[in-house]
Amino acid sequence: MKSKKDNPGIHIPPPLFYITLFFISIVLQRYFPISKSFFEHSWIGIIATIVIVFGALFILPAFLKFLKSKNTIITVKPANSLQTSGIYTISRNPMYIGLLSFYIGIAFLKGNWWTFILIPIVIYIINRFVIIKEEKYLERAFGQEYLNYKAKVRRWL
């Protein structure tokens, strides 16, 4: 069932999608500015920090789980094992939740409404071009074990 050559087939590292859309939001702000006055409040930094820490609470345990299991986060390599415990009991994609939280936290820090406006596009791209491909691969690689896990744990939260 599991082939050493089979992999999710995602050739662009998922963090690059978040980074690219973030830079697009900066360009949009430059050419089509939206007032930043909302972001000038002192509590914005606190919100940004909370959102970034929330993201770290998803990324760090997920990444450590991959290291501990000697699995790969490189999306053109086959998985060694299926992650189903720890943070993976809360979400099937904690790293993408963490990256989205970082994206949102940095949006607060930069004070850019365009970054927020692009959030649905970020989520669409990650779902369509990353997660769906990973799910198809994991079903091929781990069969019923993955289907059972998928039935119990949500894609995002």
Side-chain angles (χ1 to χ4, degrees), residues 45-56:
I46 295 168
I47 291 173
T49 302
I50 291 168
V51 173
I52 290 169
V53 167
F54 177 80

Side-chain angles (χ1 to χ4, degrees), residues 97-112:
I97 290 171
L99 287 170
L100 183 61
S101 293
F102 284 175
Y103 177 92
I104 293 168
I106 294 168
F108 275 111
L109 292 175
K110 280 297 282 180
N112 187 345

Side-chain angles (χ1 to χ4, degrees), residues 2 65-66 69 71 79-85 88 92 134-135 137-139 141-150:
K2 187 168 133 180
K65 186 118 179 84
F66 267 69
S69 66
N71 217 339
N80 298 327
S81 62
L82 182 62
Q83 307 302 314
T84 60
S85 62
Y88 287 91
R92 295 195 314 259
E134 287 180 344
E135 287 178 345
Y137 164 70
L138 292 170
E139 191 171 332
F142 299 102
Q144 193 60 46
E145 181 185 5
Y146 177 69
L147 292 174
N148 293 342
Y149 170 66
K150 188 176 172 182

Side-chain angles (χ1 to χ4, degrees), residues 78-142:
N80 298 327
S81 62
L82 182 62
Q83 307 302 314
T84 60
S85 62
I87 194 73
Y88 287 91
T89 62
I90 298 170
S91 169
R92 295 195 314 259
N93 297 287
M95 289 189 199
Y96 302 140
I97 290 171
L99 287 170
L100 183 61
S101 293
F102 284 175
Y103 177 92
I104 293 168
I106 294 168
F108 275 111
L109 292 175
K110 280 297 282 180
N112 187 345
W113 282 113
W114 284 108
T115 310
F116 289 98
I117 292 167
L118 294 179
I119 287 172
I121 296 170
V122 171
I123 293 170
Y124 174 79
I125 289 171
I126 293 298
N127 270 320
R128 174 70 175 83
F129 299 105
V130 179
I131 292 174
I132 289 174
K133 285 183 172 189
E134 287 180 344
E135 287 178 345
K136 288 178 182 177
Y137 164 70
L138 292 170
E139 191 171 332
R140 286 191 312 271
F142 299 102

